[in-house]
Amino acid sequence: VRCVQETGRGPIHYIVYPFEYCNYHNIELLEMLIPLFDINRTDNDGHTPLDYAEQVQIQEIIDILEEHDAKKGKSLPKSSVKQKPILEEVDWLVNSDIDTEQDCRAYLNERITKSLNKTEVEVDGKVDQQFLCEVVKDSRQDSRYMSVYLVKIDQAKGQYGSNLFYKMQLLREKNIGIYILFTRWGKQGTDGQYQHTPFPSFEEGLKEFQKIFKQKTGNDWQNIGNFSSKDKKYDLQVELKKFDLLEQFIQFDSLNPKDDARCQLRTAEKQFISSF
């Protein structure tokens, strides 16, 4: 089998020396590839895999190469930093007790709660004559704005999966006092399609709003405070169109940094990230 990079290095070279500061220490993969590739191939600088193994001082890899009659080429000076397995260096992440799913859900729930209790909600930009409309509050739901953003994701659908949104707002036209149920739907990242449905009264608009919310999510609008995700239904989410990423970063004075603003990574982790 022939597989060589422009540098002249083959797969064995990269198993032995993938990065400057760290190593995958993948013994199983090394033993699997040794019969398939030239273990003594030299790269453009005249170095064999064994040369690199001795440079980074990983004895287990050196022993395996020598067991398979690996030869030295042009020797390399030993590295001042002995490489360690990547996973060993980041075992705090691999073996962490942090539940990322729960963390993510808690964060989204916090954002959803804030969005439902906003002091002001903007009328969707696709609404006709939006400057004449306002989003209606439901006095029976702690005066929550009747504006929701729903998503439905199905990674198994089609070649690339499905990622859909459905936005709904109950609006009041200020001049003539009619109510408009505005809906917009489509693929995430697009404007999608939209529709305006007028109603002569708030009660009629509310009834249709509640009906669609139930159809799409499987939840009752009256119980939105206890919203729960349902299989194959839309999930309640925060519309991130105007999400300010900078709000999520800790602010600090770069000229007078405090100790808590300094990088807390260990030296090996810093070196690993710097290698990219």
Side-chain angles (χ1 to χ4, degrees):
V1 179
R2 177 177 173 78
C3 183
V4 180
Q5 292 282 359
E6 293 179 357
T7 59
R9 296 182 185 180
I12 306 297
H13 283 92
Y14 286 103
I15 294 295
V16 173
Y17 188 77
F19 302 107
E20 184 177 356
Y21 296 107
C22 50
N23 196 293
Y24 290 115
H25 211 118
N26 199 328
I27 303 302
E28 286 186 31
L29 184 59
L30 177 62
E31 293 181 324
M32 183 180 76
L33 295 181
I34 283 176
L36 303 176
F37 296 95
D38 184 0
I39 197 175
N40 291 313
R41 178 179 180 81
T42 57
D43 62 15
N44 295 347
D45 296 318
H47 306 307
T48 66
L50 183 57
D51 295 327
Y52 286 106
E54 291 190 339
Q55 181 190 34
V56 297
Q57 308 168 62
I58 301 180
Q59 192 58 48
E60 189 174 3
I61 290 179
I62 293 173
D63 292 342
I64 291 173
L65 291 175
E66 290 181 338
E67 285 175 10
H68 290 82
D69 299 321
K71 303 290 191 275
K72 295 182 181 180
K74 186 178 179 181
S75 61
L76 288 161
K78 288 188 176 181
S79 173
S80 57
V81 179
K82 185 177 180 180
Q83 284 194 355
K84 294 184 178 180
I86 291 176
L87 293 182
E88 182 180 300
E89 287 299 299
V90 294
D91 60 357
W92 59 271
L93 178 59
V94 176
N95 300 315
S96 173
D97 291 331
I98 297 173
D99 187 336
T100 54
E101 290 286 340
Q102 183 179 350
D103 245 20
C104 180
R105 173 52 61 185
Y107 173 75
L108 286 175
N109 285 341
E110 179 185 338
R111 298 284 300 186
I112 289 169
T113 300
K114 287 182 179 179
S115 70
L116 290 173
N117 295 312
K118 280 182 178 178
T119 55
E120 185 177 354
V121 173
E122 293 183 3
V123 174
D124 190 272
K126 295 299 179 181
V127 172
D128 292 341
Q129 295 184 313
Q130 65 180 106
F131 63 94
L132 292 176
C133 297
E134 61 183 359
V135 180
V136 176
K137 289 183 179 181
D138 187 350
S139 59
R140 302 172 309 169
Q141 293 287 339
D142 300 323
S143 295
R144 279 182 174 150
Y145 283 98
M146 300 192 67
S147 176
V148 293
Y149 188 80
L150 312 173
V151 298
K152 183 164 67 171
I153 300 173
D154 184 355
Q155 299 289 9
K157 187 174 182 179
Q159 184 176 2
Y160 302 106
S162 173
N163 190 350
L164 306 176
F165 76 90
Y166 192 96
K167 183 174 183 179
M168 181 166 58
Q169 292 184 324
L170 184 59
L171 310 171
R172 177 181 173 275
E173 207 279 345
K174 300 174 186 177
N175 281 348
I176 57 179
I178 65 169
Y179 291 84
I180 301 169
L181 182 61
F182 174 79
T183 52
R184 184 160 64 87
W185 65 94
K187 292 182 179 180
Q188 291 269 25
T190 69
D191 289 338
Q193 304 177 65
Y194 51 92
Q195 178 176 309
H196 303 72
T197 305
F199 293 94
S201 68
F202 168 73
E203 287 72 21
E204 292 179 83
L206 172 64
K207 183 178 179 180
E208 187 65 15
F209 184 98
Q210 291 175 325
K211 175 184 172 183
I212 295 175
F213 187 79
K214 178 71 172 181
Q215 289 175 342
K216 297 296 182 183
T217 69
N219 285 256
D220 292 318
W221 168 251
Q222 297 92 324
N223 197 32
I224 191 172
N226 296 311
F227 186 94
S228 61
S229 300
K230 308 289 185 184
D231 188 37
K232 297 183 180 180
K233 293 287 187 178
Y234 280 82
D235 202 4
L236 182 62
Q237 293 289 348
V238 179
E239 187 174 10
L240 299 180
K241 181 176 61 176
K242 296 192 176 182
F243 181 72
D244 187 356
L245 185 62
L246 292 178
E247 290 180 357
Q248 309 308 309
F249 288 93
I250 298 174
Q251 299 298 314
F252 65 94
D253 185 349
S254 59
L255 297 178
N256 299 290
K258 299 178 181 178
D259 290 340
D260 59 2
R262 298 182 186 278
C263 179
Q264 301 296 315
L265 293 176
R266 291 176 290 184
T267 301
E269 291 157 4
K270 291 180 185 178
Q271 292 174 336
F272 171 55
I273 293 173
S274 299
S275 67
F276 289 96

